[in-house]
Amino acid sequence: MAFCSLIRTFARKMEQEAIYNNKVKEGLTSTEVERSRAEHGENVLTPPKRTSFWRLYLEKYEDPIIRILLVAAVISLGLAVFSGEYVETIGIILAVLFATTVGFYFERDAAKKFDVLTALGEEQPVKVIRDGKPQQIARRDVVVGDVVVVETGDEIPADGRLFEATDLQVDESSLTGEQLTTKRIATSQAHHQMGTLTNSHSGGSQGSAYPEDLLLRSSMVMNGTGRIIITAVGDDTEIGHVARQATEQTGVKTPLNLQLNQLAKLISKVGTAVSVLAFVLFLAHDILTQPLWHTSNYIEMAMVVMRYFMMAVTLIVMAVPEGLPMAVTLALALNMRRMLQSNNLVRKLSASETMGAVTVICTDKTGTLTENRMTVSDVKCAKEEGNGEASEACFQQLYKAIALNTTAELDGDGKGIGNPTETALLRWTKERGADYADLRQRTTITKRWPFSTERKYMATIADHTLYVKGAPEIVLSMCRLTEDQRSEIGRTLSDYQHRAMRTLAFAMKPVSEDIDNQSFEGLDFQGICAINDPLRQDVAQAVADCQRAGIEVKMVTGDTGVTAVEIGRQAGILPSSDTVSFDGVGHLTGTHFSELSTEKAKEAVRSLHVMSRARPGDKQRLVELLQQQGEVVAVTGDGTNDAPALNHAHVGLSLGSGTSVAKHASDITLIDDSFRSIVKAVMWGRSLYKNIQRFLFFQLVVNVTALLLVIGGSIIGTEMPLTVTQILWVNLIMDTFAAMALASLPPSREVMNEQPRKATDFIITPTMGWGIAIIGTLFSLGMLGYLWKIEHGGINTHELTEFFTVFVMLQWWNLFNAKMLGSAHSAFRYLYRCRGFLLVLVMILGGQWLIVTFGGEMFRTEPLPWQSWLTLFAATSPVMIIGELYRFLRRCSGYGVIR
């Protein structure tokens, strides 16, 4: 009986193992996927709990300016109890409510725009086996039981157990701090069976935090390949159990933020000094001229002091550009959303602004300059001795070498999953009638050396045979060939490379199982192939745009020198003349570059346009040397080994088809891999900076005008020309609405006609500074002259209402000039495209009409007839007309852009 029981147990175990092995090969069926998703949920982490709306709103009251206004409101309320006049108190409270509500709305709106980063992260492609076929799905669609294929550069999409591995090493630093952990298949796979898969973490070996066969979500594959069966998804993963802080990036302090904060502090100090001076002057004037101060009416005296105190507080509010942070946040949020529409996914906010200052772009070739649409153009198989022709047997061996020494797949529609070069090779074998999947299934792979940019080849041992493919010069150095054979192969390769084709060589030899990569010699040459990857049609124009914008483009590629130089010429990176040498002027190989001393390398990078056979260390060194010479460098990368260069660059640009490691190290991801997208990012960065300059120009003209107006009014002995509530309204218009109008302006292509700004340049240029001072002074002098005229003729509420409206209309017309700051074009050029700007213009006019018509005692206004509105509208329009005339004269002089 015991023997029979043992037999039955063994039979059940064998049956379970058979089911498990079948699942490993076939993956889940469509029905099983839906069942698993229903049981375990989607592979999405629950976002951190957000701060409540009310808490976020109350945080707006922590602003120092808002607190000053609240103190002023309390004092005003206390005095209003005695005087019975609550109008000013109500006006201050309404201003505070409006300012905090608008600030809260825009902060929430910006946060929603930044949430797109998290949402897009869940769409990251993952390679799985389902219904017996390889497929590519979004990370969020991975379910428990899925068979996932991972390779160098991939991010693990969910927790899973490893059942197949080749030299697999992962970075678990996001969970354990261990940057490199070796992963292996467990000795016993009983716990792997499909019905008993768990995420138990007991049994970690060799001091590891987790079992050596357990791969965790968010880990990065740094080397090797493997296959895992998913055991936990979403919040059930290990990282889902770890409390994490929100990853919103809206609070990141960029270099521009820091510069603007310094500017705001400077303006605040000046504004505070002016407000204190105005308080002293007005109060002294009142004491010297008014009989009130010779009586015992202390309440009335307190009311007068309070009125001037409120004026001083309001001047501080007016001087401080509290709309500046909102303008920057809004501009960054809009910029990020628009850049996403241009296939630029901004991962770090500082990149948006830094792209505008880039002076050098170090770009990859494959996929960025070329279409990444690989097709095998020609294959030369090794010739048989005697007849000098390649035999069918040679091609059959080559098909097998390609099938076994690649990790890519083709889906049911023939679409490639994995490395584009490998998928091109698989398509070629399929077109010639070879079934790569069948060849893989009938062969046992025992060892593999994945391709790396350092060794430039990939090797696989299968059925006691070593297969090697890679860079021709590397593979051929391992082969047994006569000088005549090497010369013939070299001529063929040179012909391919002069036609800008990518080349690969294949070799093989019988081996024992314990061979290491030091024994790769004496190989039998199998053949070479040429892979065509045409230049993108828009690349030459995009490179020309960069060069016209003062940006130097350097191509860094792992391809051969001949291929790289030819692509460089076609793209316009290299001159078409014959002055370019293959290891000197304009072009260097990575090997030669690495041998140069630091001083000689610094000299070489100035004239370097193309670097071929480059390794990741060469790219990183190039970036560092350029930075030492004061260049602002953007660099593209798609591989795991590109991460250091991406980190060191001012702006790291990963490719959408690149590895997760590269994407995490980058600042911006080029979704379409296109160089044209880099040019668009530069245009967006420059336009963003220009929009913020426009807001500053407009804001500071308002500040200078208001401050000079109040000081001038105190000197000539008038009463306060603008009331507290009027100044608060003007401040809200100029801060909030102007931020909305100018931050939302679309990018202008003419910024690409300018030279890059220096990273150390102050955001207010000398031209801007003079413009702010001159226009602000002219506005204040005109307003003071108007004030002096109406006061000596007997001032009344109607005239003060017109005075207030004139002040607002001057700034309204100046918005047109601010919109065209740095340009000689008309403000009405493409105005229909600036819908946000037009909306704000209407809002300001509408708001002013409402305040004038219904403001009454609170705003010291009375309704104006339509004739007065037309008169004021026309009387203030010269502000825009003079600006248009100035820009017209600049155009006639041939200046498209004002430096």
Side-chain angles (χ1 to χ4, degrees):
M1 291 292 292
F3 178 74
C4 292
S5 176
L6 184 62
I7 291 294
R8 283 195 295 271
T9 301
F10 178 75
R12 281 196 302 269
K13 185 175 181 180
M14 292 297 293
E15 182 181 1
Q16 289 174 338
E17 294 234 2
I19 294 172
Y20 169 75
N21 290 332
N22 183 62
K23 288 298 179 187
V24 163
K25 293 178 181 178
E26 301 294 323
L28 298 179
T29 65
S30 300
T31 303
E32 289 170 334
V33 168
E34 294 303 322
R35 187 185 307 132
S36 179
R37 185 175 290 117
E39 182 179 351
H40 301 283
E42 284 193 322
N43 186 33
V44 177
L45 296 174
T46 301
K49 187 177 180 181
R50 291 187 179 277
T51 308
S52 67
F53 281 89
W54 282 110
R55 191 175 185 85
L56 280 176
Y57 179 71
L58 291 175
E59 286 177 359
K60 300 295 108 188
Y61 288 86
E62 296 177 5
D63 185 285
I65 300 299
I66 297 297
R67 288 183 173 179
I68 290 173
L69 284 176
L70 288 175
V71 170
V74 171
I75 296 173
S76 175
L77 179 63
L79 293 174
V81 170
F82 295 98
S83 65
E85 297 180 1
Y86 293 91
V87 173
E88 192 169 80
T89 305
I90 295 172
I92 296 172
I93 292 173
L94 288 176
V96 168
L97 290 173
F98 187 82
T100 53
T101 302
V102 170
F104 166 75
Y105 170 78
F106 279 116
E107 186 172 311
R108 286 294 303 166
D109 186 58
K112 288 178 182 177
K113 290 181 176 70
F114 291 122
D115 283 345
V116 72
L117 291 175
T118 304
L120 286 173
E122 299 299 344
E123 301 301 319
Q124 180 178 307
V126 176
K127 297 183 285 289
V128 300
I129 307 296
R130 285 183 180 176
D131 294 315
K133 299 175 183 177
Q135 300 179 28
Q136 197 161 268
I137 63 173
R139 181 171 70 181
R140 67 182 303 122
D141 294 330
V142 173
V143 299
V144 171
D146 259 330
V147 175
V148 175
V149 181
V150 295
E151 54 191 24
T152 304
D154 285 348
E155 180 180 358
I156 306 301
D159 293 0
R161 293 284 181 176
L162 189 66
F163 67 86
E164 183 180 301
T166 304
D167 294 335
L168 191 64
Q169 292 180 309
V170 301
D171 179 354
E172 291 183 342
S173 57
S174 59
L175 281 165
T176 67
E178 296 183 59
Q179 293 194 340
L180 208 61
T181 305
T182 300
K183 293 295 183 178
R184 304 179 181 85
I185 303 171
T187 305
S188 172
Q189 292 207 2
H191 62 284
H192 291 306
Q193 295 171 4
M194 297 296 293
T196 59
L197 284 173
T198 67
N199 217 30
S200 172
H201 299 150
S202 60
S205 61
Q206 301 176 357
S208 299
Y210 298 97
E212 60 185 0
D213 66 331
L214 180 65
L215 269 64
L216 303 173
R217 177 178 172 135
S218 82
S219 300
M220 297 289 182
V221 180
M222 306 306 292
N223 187 51
T225 60
R227 295 192 178 202
I228 59 175
I229 293 180
I230 299 302
T231 59
V233 295
D235 291 337
D236 292 332
T237 60
E238 181 64 14
I239 204 166
H241 297 152
V242 179
R244 296 185 301 164
Q245 295 180 343
T247 56
E248 288 185 15
Q249 301 183 36
T250 52
V252 175
K253 290 291 184 185
T254 69
L256 179 62
N257 282 131
L258 297 175
Q259 193 180 109
L260 292 178
N261 286 343
Q262 293 174 355
L263 176 63
K265 289 177 181 178
L266 175 63
I267 296 171
S268 299
K269 290 177 181 178
V270 173
T272 302
V274 171
S275 66
V276 171
L277 179 63
F279 174 76
V280 172
L281 289 175
F282 270 110
L283 188 59
H285 176 269
D286 204 285
I287 292 173
L288 293 173
T289 60
Q290 299 298 324
L292 169 67
W293 299 93
H294 303 289
T295 67
S296 301
N297 192 349
Y298 297 111
I299 293 179
E300 189 66 26
M301 292 180 187
M303 293 291 291
V304 172
V305 173
M306 179 61 194
R307 188 167 79 251
Y308 291 134
F309 171 75
M310 288 300 301
M311 175 208 67
V313 169
T314 307
L315 280 178
I316 294 175
V317 174
M318 189 72 190
V320 175
E322 66 268 20
L324 196 53
M326 186 181 72
V328 175
T329 301
L330 183 60
L332 288 171
L334 289 171
N335 207 53
M336 194 202 80
R337 186 174 65 181
R338 288 167 172 170
M339 286 180 72
L340 182 59
Q341 294 170 352
S342 300
N343 294 310
N344 289 280
L345 173 60
V346 180
R347 306 177 68 88
K348 297 175 185 175
L349 286 184
S350 59
S352 294
E353 66 190 58
T354 310
M355 278 304 295
V358 163
T359 58
V360 178
I361 298 174
C362 297
T363 177
D364 279 345
K365 175 186 77 71
T366 304
T368 309
L369 300 177
T370 62
E371 294 182 0
N372 205 19
R373 188 165 46 86
M374 306 279 193
T375 54
V376 176
S377 181
D378 193 22
V379 176
K380 300 291 185 185
C381 216
K383 296 178 180 178
E384 283 189 344
E385 293 184 14
N387 62 13
E389 297 293 333
S391 66
E392 181 60 28
C394 175
F395 277 104
Q396 293 297 330
Q397 282 290 345
L398 189 58
Y399 301 153
K400 187 173 183 180
I402 291 172
L404 301 180
N405 198 23
T406 54
T407 58
E409 301 275 2
L410 298 178
D411 63 14
D413 299 325
K415 185 179 179 181
I417 301 174
N419 183 278
T421 302
E422 291 190 347
T423 56
L425 292 171
L426 294 180
R427 285 196 195 94
W428 178 77
T429 62
K430 186 177 180 181
E431 289 167 0
R432 296 178 67 93
D435 187 346
Y436 79 90
D438 181 62
L439 289 170
R440 288 178 181 176
Q441 193 171 5
R442 291 190 284 109
T443 310
T444 302
I445 295 175
T446 53
K447 196 163 187 177
R448 176 168 283 157
W449 290 265
F451 178 85
S452 73
T453 50
E454 284 84 5
R455 55 176 172 249
K456 297 190 181 300
Y457 68 82
M458 175 180 178
T460 299
I461 296 178
D463 288 352
H464 302 284
T465 303
L466 170 67
Y467 298 98
V468 179
K469 81 171 190 299
E473 68 271 22
I474 303 296
V475 176
L476 291 175
S477 69
M478 304 175 184
C479 295
R480 300 174 300 167
L481 292 168
T482 65
E483 287 303 316
D484 289 341
Q485 289 173 324
R486 291 186 187 277
S487 297
E488 183 180 354
I489 294 170
R491 286 192 296 273
T492 305
L493 288 171
S494 179
D495 176 58
Y496 289 152
Q497 291 161 4
H498 274 97
R499 287 186 279 157
M501 291 187 180
R502 196 171 200 175
T503 53
L504 286 175
F506 302 86
M508 60 175 286
K509 79 170 183 178
V511 293
S512 60
E513 298 299 333
D514 58 353
I515 187 175
D516 58 34
N517 61 351
Q518 303 300 320
S519 306
F520 287 10
E521 56 185 27
L523 303 184
D524 297 324
F525 174 70
Q526 286 188 281
I528 55 175
C529 77
I531 297 176
N532 186 32
D533 185 16
L535 193 75
R536 291 178 182 264
Q537 292 184 352
D538 58 356
V539 160
Q541 182 59 51
V543 170
D545 290 344
C546 281
Q547 292 167 342
R548 188 175 64 254
I551 301 171
E552 188 177 358
V553 181
K554 300 180 186 294
M555 184 174 75
V556 185
T557 177
D559 255 329
T560 62
V562 178
T563 301
V565 166
E566 183 58 31
I567 288 290
R569 282 177 172 153
Q570 292 179 15
I573 297 173
L574 275 171
S576 57
S577 65
D578 295 328
T579 58
V580 177
S581 68
F582 284 106
D583 222 8
V585 179
H587 167 260
L588 283 174
T589 62
T591 303
H592 188 178
F593 181 65
S594 64
E595 292 171 352
L596 296 176
S597 66
T598 300
E599 291 305 314
K600 288 186 176 180
K602 281 184 178 180
E603 293 179 13
V605 298
R606 293 173 186 166
S607 60
L608 180 67
H609 298 291
V610 172
M611 185 186 295
S612 63
R613 287 304 189 212
R615 296 156 296 186
D618 301 326
K619 184 184 287 189
Q620 181 178 337
R621 187 186 186 206
L622 173 62
V623 170
E624 291 173 344
L625 289 173
L626 288 168
Q627 289 174 331
Q628 288 171 19
Q629 298 182 54
E631 304 288 356
V632 179
V633 186
V635 61
T636 67
D638 62 349
T640 302
N641 292 327
D642 288 324
L646 292 170
N647 269 322
H648 279 78
H650 291 99
V651 182
L653 300 157
S654 62
L655 306 187
S657 61
T659 65
S660 294
V661 175
K663 291 175 184 175
H664 279 264
S666 68
D667 306 297
I668 297 175
T669 296
L670 307 175
I671 297 174
D672 61 353
D673 294 359
S674 173
F675 186 82
R676 170 58 70 181
S677 295
I678 302 177
V679 180
K680 289 180 181 177
V682 172
M683 182 180 71
W684 280 110
R686 291 187 177 188
S687 297
L688 166 69
Y689 192 80
K690 185 70 72 178
N691 284 349
I692 295 173
Q693 282 185 315
R694 287 164 177 154
F695 172 78
L696 273 175
F697 173 79
F698 178 81
Q699 170 77 62
L700 294 180
V701 166
V702 174
N703 289 3
V704 169
T705 303
L707 293 177
L708 291 179
L709 185 59
V710 172
I711 293 176
S714 66
I715 293 174
I716 66 176
T718 70
E719 64 174 289
M720 287 175 57
L722 296 172
T723 68
V724 170
T725 48
Q726 285 176 347
I727 291 179
L728 288 174
W729 164 241
V730 170
N731 190 54
L732 289 172
I733 291 177
M734 304 319 160
D735 274 5
T736 307
F737 293 153
M740 291 169 57
L742 299 173
S744 63
L745 289 175
S748 171
R749 292 191 179 276
E750 67 182 21
V751 297
M752 297 301 287
N753 296 325
E754 302 178 27
Q755 294 300 298
R757 63 179 170 87
K758 294 180 181 178
T760 55
D761 284 352
F762 190 48
I763 194 167
I764 298 179
T765 64
T767 305
M768 284 176 63
W770 279 109
I772 291 166
I774 292 171
I775 296 173
T777 302
L778 289 175
F779 280 1
S780 58
L781 289 175
M783 294 294 296
L784 284 171
Y786 181 66
L787 182 64
W788 181 82
K789 178 184 176 183
I790 60 176
E791 187 166 84
H792 281 72
I795 196 167
N796 55 45
T797 303
H798 178 84
E799 290 171 329
L800 288 172
T801 302
E802 288 186 339
F803 178 85
F804 171 45
T805 304
V806 166
F807 183 87
V808 172
M809 291 307 301
L810 286 174
Q811 314 308 330
W812 188 85
W813 285 114
N814 198 40
L815 261 176
F816 289 90
N817 295 328
K819 173 179 177 287
M820 301 313 296
L821 178 70
S823 173
H825 293 295
S826 169
F828 297 94
R829 184 173 183 249
Y830 302 134
L831 186 61
Y832 64 92
R833 294 182 181 177
C834 308
R835 289 176 291 183
F837 183 82
L838 291 172
L839 177 62
V840 168
L841 290 176
V842 173
M843 289 172 65
I844 293 176
L845 280 180
Q848 183 65 15
W849 180 82
L850 288 172
I851 284 178
V852 166
T853 306
F854 303 106
E857 188 179 349
M858 182 184 296
F859 284 91
R860 199 182 66 185
T861 60
E862 66 177 35
L864 295 176
W866 64 268
Q867 294 91 340
S868 295
W869 280 103
L870 284 179
T871 301
L872 296 176
F873 193 81
T876 53
S877 63
V879 173
M880 183 272 296
I881 294 171
I882 293 172
E884 283 292 290
L885 180 61
Y886 173 71
R887 288 186 288 274
F888 173 75
L889 293 175
R890 297 289 292 186
R891 288 199 300 276
C892 292
S893 303
Y895 291 91
V897 176
I898 303 170
R899 302 278 184 232

